[in-house]
Amino acid sequence: MAPVDSMDKLHGTTNFAHFAAYSWNVFRYVGDYLHLAGIFVLLLTIAKNKSVAGVSRSTQILYCLVFTTRYLDLLDHTQTTYLVFFKLTFITTSVLILVLFYQLDSTYERRLDTCNLAVILVPCATASVLLTSEYSILEILWTFSEFIEGFAMVPQYIFCYRERVGKDWGASLYVVALGGYRVFYAFNWIYKKIQMPHYSDMQSWLGGIIEILFFLDFLNYRFTGNSMLRSMVLSVDTKINEISDKVELKVLGSSSALRMETQGGEVRRRRKAEEVPMEDV
């Protein structure tokens, strides 16, 4: 049997013209433009405040990985102007945001950005190798990007859970736009599944379900103050960081929880997450 690449996986044996017609639907367009709008809202917010406060750098690192690993297909075959524009824009802006984090490092709220990226990257890398449809570099990286995107906003949600009260509506609007993008892409998948029963894109669906669940819980938390996931997510995040600190301490002789910061001639120990009452985290 001939290997199945990412496009065959999406449209199967159906005539590609039919697949393309169903792929370019209103749900996809709305999702794409919400995604683009969210990124520009974030850039404008950072520019207006001259600060990256309220934003998770870990989320931006993950999105940069998503775009740079998924859009290598720009080098592989000719694509429409629409796709080239969006792909290059997403890659460029993700790099630009990380540059802004470097330039505005003094405003970065490290104490709130506690998600351990290794816990996301290692399982996603493993799953991409085990579940890829074809063992080629482009296909494995494409699969990796699909899994990573499902968790890309998790560090931002953890950041928001710890922040409790958003300091700027720009950051919250960015989160809402990115969540809305995934919701409309889910509608896009449902529409294509109805039109083409054989259509399957399990990696995207799994990532989308995870992200939508976090997004709905975030909306509930932001607007009502209630959350079904907050306590569990923060407890797991704290435990993971405790384990990570113990491993660092044993291997390196020091850990992030024990590092000292000198500021104004005073040495201050970073306050551990567990020392803060749960309701104030």
Side-chain angles (χ1 to χ4, degrees):
M1 181 181 295
V4 180
D5 65 17
S6 57
M7 291 308 296
D8 291 328
K9 177 174 58 180
L10 293 175
H11 62 71
T13 57
T14 301
N15 182 281
F16 183 73
H18 291 163
F19 170 76
Y22 293 129
S23 292
W24 297 100
N25 56 71
V26 65
F27 303 116
R28 173 175 181 166
Y29 282 119
V30 173
D32 285 342
Y33 284 106
L34 272 175
H35 193 177
L36 187 65
I39 290 173
F40 281 104
V41 164
L42 179 59
L43 286 170
L44 289 172
T45 300
I46 293 173
K48 176 178 72 75
N49 297 337
K50 293 183 173 55
S51 167
V52 291
V55 183
S56 165
R57 184 173 63 185
S58 296
T59 280
Q60 302 310 315
I61 290 172
L62 291 177
Y63 268 120
C64 189
L65 275 174
V66 168
F67 300 142
T68 53
T69 55
R70 180 178 301 172
Y71 298 149
L72 289 174
D73 63 356
L74 286 169
L75 307 174
D76 186 51
H77 58 273
T78 303
Q79 300 177 42
T80 65
T81 302
Y82 179 92
L83 288 176
V84 172
F85 167 76
F86 272 86
K87 291 179 178 183
L88 289 179
T89 299
F90 289 154
I91 292 172
T92 303
T93 53
S94 67
V95 173
L96 176 59
I97 290 170
L98 290 180
V99 170
L100 290 173
F101 264 90
Y102 175 77
Q103 294 179 337
L104 301 170
D105 184 68
S106 61
T107 66
Y108 171 46
E109 298 173 300
R110 286 177 177 80
R111 63 187 178 82
L112 300 176
D113 199 9
T114 57
C115 183
N116 190 316
L117 289 184
V119 174
I120 294 175
L121 293 174
V122 173
C124 287
T126 303
S128 67
V129 173
L130 295 176
L131 301 177
T132 185
S133 297
E134 177 188 347
Y135 283 97
S136 66
I137 296 298
L138 285 181
E139 185 68 16
I140 291 173
L141 290 176
W142 182 87
T143 305
F144 175 73
S145 74
E146 290 295 318
F147 284 124
I148 286 292
E149 188 171 17
F151 296 95
M153 287 297 290
V154 171
Q156 182 66 55
Y157 292 134
I158 291 175
F159 190 108
C160 292
Y161 288 147
R162 293 195 182 283
E163 187 180 36
R164 294 185 64 85
V165 178
K167 298 174 183 176
D168 192 295
W169 270 100
S172 295
L173 189 57
Y174 162 73
V175 176
V176 170
L178 267 289
Y181 141 67
R182 293 302 277 178
V183 169
F184 275 94
Y185 254 66
F187 290 147
N188 161 57
W189 298 327
I190 293 169
Y191 172 78
K192 285 195 288 188
K193 186 65 176 176
I194 292 172
Q195 298 297 327
M196 300 181 296
H198 66 277
Y199 161 70
S200 178
D201 188 8
M202 193 58 65
Q203 292 94 330
S204 295
W205 297 347
L206 288 174
I209 289 170
I210 292 167
E211 191 161 355
I212 288 170
L213 287 175
F214 272 101
F215 174 59
L216 294 177
D217 186 74
F218 167 80
L219 288 180
N220 187 42
Y221 175 66
R222 250 322 173 236
F223 293 106
T224 71
N226 300 314
S227 169
M228 293 190 298
L229 297 178
R230 179 176 181 269
S231 294
M232 178 193 72
V233 169
L234 292 185
S235 295
V236 171
D237 181 58
T238 297
K239 180 58 68 175
I240 288 171
N241 280 295
E242 287 176 0
I243 295 171
S244 176
D245 285 337
K246 289 178 181 177
V247 171
E248 284 184 44
L249 186 60
K250 183 170 291 188
V251 174
L252 303 176
S254 67
S255 70
S256 55
L258 298 174
R259 290 187 188 119
M260 302 292 187
E261 293 184 1
T262 302
Q263 189 174 72
E266 296 180 359
V267 178
R268 304 183 305 166
R269 184 181 299 274
R270 193 186 71 181
R271 188 163 63 177
K272 295 181 181 178
E274 65 268 21
E275 292 174 349
V276 183
M278 199 58 178
E279 62 273 18
D280 294 328
V281 174

